[in-house]
């Protein structure tokens, strides 16, 4: 793994600086890298998509697993560094481009693959959503993201939130470990968390009418201080008595707030309203 001074030197030699816009915080500690690799449970038959390889801290360890690694990096200056550094490596393909375009990529429509990344903050929600809603979702995803976002994704009742419902409709997320901000250079403002997201086999997401489901969930969370029935009555233009009847039938307490409901209850509600 590259040390902080080696990273600085590589960038300096090429007249480059870490780019904030691309969320460049390079890993300078081996521990989170090992934890991510273990969490991804990699074997040599796997195809792994790495998003944002940067200067290759994680890539370096991924290639030693023997799996086929496809690394997609948006910053063309870093692509040049990576191509030079890994030019003799056979199980690595480096692609220049925006990771948000991958979901539509034909190569990933039929492939069985896993995703791994130390993700820039701005990509966290779009990337997770795109992969979970894809026709052919990954087998699993392991991400290093902001600690607070990781906790929000893994929340349970009575602390549910819109992001948690959006992820847990499709997958089971789990915090693997927290990562100190000191493990990165430049140092980000907050600590990180490694999360593992395991898509459901039964594809609950696919059998649910997505648009309707999220219309109801968004209405439910629209005013966090109000009880759920009031939010649904306002947001969906429904009669409170009808809502109370539906809640009673589904055995959901009438005074529930949106953050009290687990995904299974949202699914029941969406089917019955
Ligand atoms: N994996 C490296 C770098 C992580 S920093 C490490 O852990 O050290 C995040 C990386 O994502 C940067 O290299 C950044 O250039 C890249 N990146 C940012 N936006 C991207 C996008 N839309 N698609 C692909 N890569 C992106």
């Amino acid at each position: 793994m590259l040390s902080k001074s080696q990273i600085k030197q590589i960038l300096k030699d090429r007249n480059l600086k870490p780019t904030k816009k691309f969320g460049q915080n390079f890993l300078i500690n081996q521990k989170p890298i090992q934890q991510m690799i273990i969490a991804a449970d990699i074997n040599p038959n796997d195809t792994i998509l790495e998003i944002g390889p940067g200067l290759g801290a994680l890539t370096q360890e991924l290639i030693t697993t023997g799996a086929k690694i496809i690394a997609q990096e948006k910053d063309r200056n870093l692509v040049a560094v990576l191509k030079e550094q890994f030019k003799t490596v056979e199980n690595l393909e480096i692609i220049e481009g925006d990771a948000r375009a991958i979901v539509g990529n034909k190569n990933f429509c039929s492939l069985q693959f896993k995703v791994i990344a130390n993700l820039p903050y701005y990509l966290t929600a779009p990337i997770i959503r795109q992969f979970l809603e894809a026709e052919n979702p990954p087998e699993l995803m392991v991400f290093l993201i902001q600690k607070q976002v990781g906790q929000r994704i893994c929340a349970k009742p009575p602390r549910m939130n819109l992001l948690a419902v959006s992820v847990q409709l499709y997958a089971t997320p789990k915090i693997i470990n927290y990562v100190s901000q000191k493990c990165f250079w430049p140092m980000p403002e907050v600590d990180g968390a490694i999360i593992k997201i395991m898509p459901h086999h039964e594809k609950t997401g696919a059998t649910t009418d997505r648009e309707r489901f999220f219309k109801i969930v968004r209405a439910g969370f629209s005013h966090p201080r109000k009880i759920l029935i009031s939010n649904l009555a306002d947001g969906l233009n429904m009669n409170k008595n009808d809502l109370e009847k539906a809640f009673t039938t589904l055995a959901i307490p009438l005074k529930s707030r949106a953050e009290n409901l687990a995904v299974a209850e949202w699914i029941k509600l969406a089917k019955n309203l």
Side-chain angles (χ1 to χ4, degrees):
M1 196 198 52
L2 299 169
S3 66
K4 182 157 99 182
S5 53
Q6 285 171 315
I7 292 177
K8 283 184 173 170
Q9 192 61 46
I10 291 174
L11 295 176
K12 193 166 160 237
D13 289 347
R14 291 163 178 82
N15 226 341
L16 303 173
K17 285 203 167 84
T19 313
K20 261 223 168 99
K21 182 177 72 162
F22 288 153
Q24 289 174 356
N25 301 100
F26 303 106
L27 276 164
I28 51 167
N29 188 303
Q30 195 65 22
K31 208 169 113 200
I33 295 176
Q34 291 307 339
Q35 288 169 340
M36 289 175 79
I37 303 258
I38 291 168
D41 199 11
I42 300 173
N43 67 66
N45 296 324
D46 283 338
T47 299
I48 311 285
L49 171 66
E50 188 196 357
I51 296 169
L55 291 167
L58 189 53
T59 322
Q60 177 71 54
E61 298 305 317
L62 285 169
I63 56 186
T64 66
T65 65
K68 166 143 183 61
I69 315 299
I70 301 171
Q72 176 138 8
E73 171 58 58
K74 177 148 189 202
D75 185 336
R76 74 158 46 136
N77 293 318
L78 299 188
V79 171
V81 180
L82 288 164
K83 286 203 162 152
E84 188 186 312
Q85 186 191 346
F86 293 116
K87 63 175 173 251
T88 58
V89 177
E90 281 177 0
N91 58 333
L92 171 67
E93 186 183 339
I94 298 159
I95 304 176
E96 182 186 331
D98 193 318
R100 284 167 295 185
I102 289 173
V103 176
N105 181 323
K106 284 197 295 304
N107 295 330
F108 288 96
C109 286
S110 52
L111 203 70
Q112 188 171 336
F113 66 107
K114 297 175 179 174
V115 184
I116 192 163
N118 168 16
L119 270 186
Y121 175 67
Y122 83 100
L123 279 186
T124 310
I127 283 290
I128 293 177
R129 193 184 60 236
Q130 284 192 9
F131 278 115
L132 288 179
E133 291 181 357
E135 291 269 316
N136 178 39
E139 218 180 316
L140 64 83
M141 300 187 263
V142 175
F143 294 126
L144 177 44
I145 59 177
Q146 289 195 345
K147 175 177 174 178
Q148 205 211 352
V149 181
Q151 289 171 329
R152 281 174 59 77
I153 289 174
C154 297
K156 294 194 158 62
R159 287 174 204 276
M160 289 299 278
N161 58 78
L162 189 54
L163 182 61
V165 176
S166 315
V167 173
Q168 294 172 26
L169 175 64
Y170 302 101
T172 304
K174 184 179 163 201
I175 303 260
I176 301 293
N177 232 316
Y178 295 118
V179 179
S180 159
Q181 60 190 147
K182 295 199 192 99
C183 294
F184 306 87
W185 182 83
M187 195 168 84
E189 275 153 32
V190 294
D191 288 340
I194 297 170
I195 72 164
K196 179 170 178 171
I197 299 178
M198 292 154 283
H200 298 146
H201 293 303
E202 70 276 23
K203 290 220 175 177
T204 346
T207 56
T208 308
D209 176 348
R210 260 178 221 176
E211 213 172 302
R212 195 179 149 63
F213 179 84
F214 284 109
K215 195 174 164 201
I216 291 169
V217 178
R218 271 196 306 270
F221 280 103
S222 58
H223 301 282
R225 286 172 192 282
K226 288 209 249 169
I227 62 162
L228 179 54
I229 287 185
S230 300
N231 280 334
L232 294 178
D234 293 348
L236 305 172
N237 222 346
M238 285 183 73
N239 180 301
K240 270 196 185 167
N241 287 334
D242 293 343
L243 282 164
E244 285 176 3
K245 269 188 218 146
F247 272 53
T248 308
T249 312
L250 299 172
I252 300 173
L254 298 180
K255 297 269 178 257
S256 300
R257 286 166 203 281
E259 65 253 33
N260 297 119
L261 266 58
V263 169
E265 288 170 311
W266 285 111
I267 293 173
K268 281 198 283 181
L269 260 187
K271 286 198 174 129
N272 282 276
L273 290 186

